[in-house]
């Protein structure tokens, strides 16, 4: 994540650290807002990582629809670009 802000790097590191404990997971976004979580993450822990996942998604995808995929090794963002009117 070359050229990123310290907050974004810290958010990514926290997400990877959580994945080391709970296993890989994904957070889906629609309209830039969290829609759901998949994987073995516990519902009671969602507050721990939803803010960080949102920060990473908004910085990369600039809103819209997509997901943040988190493993102990990496944080990846997949998103769909709108074509506009």
């Amino acid at each position: 994540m070359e050229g990123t802000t310290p907050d974004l790097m810290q958010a990514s590191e926290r997400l990877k650290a959580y994945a080391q404990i709970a296993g890989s997971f994904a957070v889906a976004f629609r309209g830039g807002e969290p829609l759901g979580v998949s994987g073995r993450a516990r519902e009671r822990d969602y507050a721990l990582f939803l803010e960080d996942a949102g920060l990473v998604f908004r910085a990369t995808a600039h809103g819209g629809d997509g997901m943040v995929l988190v493993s102990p090794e990496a944080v990846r963002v997949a998103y769909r670009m709108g074509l506009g009117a």
Side-chain angles (χ1 to χ4, degrees):
M1 293 168 91
E2 187 176 32
T4 58
T5 66
D7 288 343
L8 191 55
M9 291 296 291
Q10 290 172 355
S12 178
E13 291 303 315
R14 285 191 298 266
L15 289 167
K16 291 190 293 186
Y18 182 80
Q20 287 179 340
I21 297 166
S24 297
F25 63 95
V27 182
F29 289 85
R30 179 171 290 150
E33 296 298 320
L35 180 64
V37 178
S38 101
R40 296 185 316 190
R42 298 175 301 199
E43 189 171 341
R44 69 178 185 221
D45 294 338
Y46 286 5
L48 294 173
F49 60 78
L50 281 179
E51 184 175 340
D52 287 335
L55 175 68
V56 170
F57 185 78
R58 286 186 298 277
T60 306
H62 307 290
D65 300 342
M67 62 181 49
V68 175
L69 308 164
V70 182
S71 72
E73 297 83 27
V75 175
R76 296 175 177 89
V77 178
Y79 62 95
R80 181 176 57 191
M81 295 286 294
L83 298 176

